[in-house]
Amino acid sequence: MDVEIERFIKVWLTTISCLCYCYYIASKIPKGFFRLLSLLPILYLFLILPFNLSSFHLGGPTTFFLVWLATFKLLLFSFNQGPLAQSPPNILHFISLASLPINLNQHSPTKNNSKTEPKSLLLLKLLILALIIYAYHYRQNFHPLFILVLYCCHMYLGIELVLALSAIPVRTVLGFNLQPQFNEPYLSTSLQDFWGRRWNLMVTGILRPTVFHPVYSISTRFVAPSRALSTAVLATFIVSGLMHELIYYYLTRAPPTWEVTCFFVLHGVCTAAEVAVKKVMLRHGWRLHGVVSGPLVLVFLAATGSWLFFPQLLRSGVDRKAIEEYATLVNFIKSKLPLHFLTFSLF
């Protein structure tokens, strides 16, 4: 664990150095091809840096932050677009926006008046996550459907907590007014609602300017707006699937099986079809109540996730690795700070 933490620190020190170059040098180059050319070495480094980490809990978030979010933000920055093009007032702001899963609110970006999740709720979710991980030790006694529910809850809570914890220092130290990272996805009433307004809004926010808007703009030159919308939705899901496939490769170090890509292509097709059907229904005054559509959406997500999203990770033993690492991490923390982390002994 000590060696992994040392590598983790080196990776992030390298990342900070790269972003200093982007802020002080690349930003002075005129936007467009030449700025993009100046950023290519940084983009390459961001692609290879996560290979230095082998743990799930350190390597996974680092891969997501650098390979996906930071890379896409820098691509937008090449053309003076996106969050980095809004003239961050200093290098600390630039590094935070570029490397962390945060977006500033449009209004009062530096005044910390954003709606934040209560600490009690955050602690409750952390406790539930710990209980889920503890329950995995007895999964041989559980029904497969219950294990699927555990996997879905684990994925949601794990991602939300990692993103929330990474945003706390920035909000506290810099006083940023940040956009929410999740918006109660379990209350979704449609696939469009789930993917567009509730689930992992950091990804949604970066895919819109990098994929959806350009594809929609180009498509409207050749097809009707409704078809252009469907094309842009499908293209966005395809890119998301490919990026998930890439993250899976970093986590498993195994050749891609394209299952997770198929998962997002399927959801792209279904979301595009859902949008089209809802428009027809609204014209006739029909609307499916959320009490009915909500459970249907969650069941569809769980069923397709069990079919296409989770199998590659489970075959590679990523779940077992994550559980073992959690126990190792708890023991490491207890050995370093035993008096301050006695509560970890419960798990």
Side-chain angles (χ1 to χ4, degrees):
M1 180 59 71
D2 288 326
V3 174
E4 184 73 1
I5 291 178
E6 183 179 342
R7 291 175 180 170
F8 177 76
I9 293 172
K10 288 180 178 179
V11 165
W12 279 95
L13 287 176
T14 304
T15 298
I16 292 171
S17 301
C18 292
L19 293 174
C20 288
Y21 161 81
C22 296
Y23 182 79
Y24 288 114
I25 299 177
S27 63
K28 304 301 187 291
I29 300 174
K31 66 178 181 179
F33 175 76
F34 289 106
R35 185 185 292 184
L36 175 62
L37 196 63
S38 72
L39 292 175
L40 288 181
I42 307 302
L43 300 178
Y44 172 73
L45 280 174
F46 282 2
L47 289 175
I48 65 173
L49 280 175
F51 283 119
N52 291 286
L53 303 173
S54 58
S55 65
F56 176 82
H57 291 93
L58 296 180
T62 299
T63 300
F64 175 53
F65 294 175
L66 298 186
V67 175
W68 192 341
L69 296 184
T71 298
F72 277 45
K73 288 178 182 179
L74 288 177
L75 287 174
L76 289 172
F77 179 62
S78 300
F79 301 95
N80 217 32
Q81 298 179 22
L84 301 179
Q86 299 172 4
S87 300
N90 57 54
I91 182 63
L92 189 57
H93 287 214
F94 184 88
I95 291 173
S96 301
L97 289 172
S99 61
L100 296 177
I102 59 174
N103 278 331
L104 297 181
N105 273 330
Q106 295 284 332
H107 306 290
S108 302
T110 57
K111 186 179 179 181
N112 192 2
N113 58 2
S114 58
K115 182 182 179 181
T116 59
E117 192 171 53
K119 291 182 180 179
S120 58
L121 183 56
L122 190 65
L123 291 174
L124 176 62
K125 289 181 178 180
L126 186 60
L127 175 62
I128 294 173
L129 178 62
L131 291 174
I132 290 173
I133 295 174
Y134 182 76
Y136 284 151
H137 297 294
Y138 305 95
R139 59 183 169 181
Q140 66 273 12
N141 302 320
F142 297 148
H143 192 278
L145 289 179
F146 183 69
I147 296 176
L148 174 60
V149 172
L150 289 180
Y151 283 151
C152 293
C153 293
H154 185 180
M155 181 181 64
Y156 161 56
L157 291 172
I159 296 175
E160 182 176 24
L161 288 170
V162 166
L163 299 190
L165 291 174
S166 65
I168 287 175
V170 177
R171 182 183 287 114
T172 303
V173 175
L174 300 179
F176 279 172
N177 178 18
L178 303 178
Q179 296 177 7
Q181 297 160 317
F182 279 82
N183 182 24
E184 300 177 321
Y186 42 84
L187 298 180
S188 301
T189 57
S190 66
L191 289 175
Q192 182 187 19
D193 185 35
F194 179 85
W195 292 116
R197 305 185 190 98
R198 294 185 180 275
W199 179 261
N200 202 346
L201 301 178
M202 299 301 100
V203 167
T204 303
I206 203 66
L207 285 176
R208 280 198 182 105
T210 54
V211 182
F212 180 84
H213 291 154
V215 172
Y216 180 78
S217 178
I218 294 172
S219 299
T220 51
R221 303 174 187 175
F222 305 100
V223 297
S226 59
R227 293 184 180 273
L229 177 63
S230 299
T231 302
V233 168
L234 185 57
T236 303
F237 274 91
I238 291 173
V239 171
S240 180
L242 293 174
M243 293 307 300
H244 278 83
E245 201 78 57
L246 183 59
I247 291 175
Y248 274 29
Y249 177 74
Y250 283 92
L251 293 177
T252 64
R253 308 294 165 91
T257 63
W258 307 111
E259 289 166 290
V260 70
T261 301
C262 291
F263 171 85
F264 281 95
V265 170
L266 173 63
H267 276 258
V269 171
C270 292
T271 301
E274 178 192 82
V275 171
V277 170
K278 284 197 305 186
K279 287 182 178 180
V280 174
M281 292 178 64
L282 287 174
R283 276 197 227 105
H284 293 83
W286 302 336
R287 186 175 183 178
L288 193 61
H289 198 280
V291 174
V292 178
S293 63
L296 289 177
V297 169
L298 296 181
V299 169
F300 181 75
L301 286 163
T304 53
S306 175
W307 175 32
L308 295 170
F309 191 90
F310 293 116
Q312 185 178 352
L313 296 177
L314 299 180
R315 284 195 304 268
S316 302
V318 173
D319 58 328
R320 294 190 298 272
K321 181 180 179 182
I323 294 169
E324 293 169 359
E325 283 183 10
Y326 178 81
T328 303
L329 181 62
V330 169
N331 291 331
F332 175 80
I333 293 174
K334 288 168 65 178
S335 67
K336 297 297 182 181
L337 297 169
L339 295 178
H340 300 289
F341 290 89
L342 289 176
T343 53
F344 278 90
S345 61
L346 294 174
F347 311 119

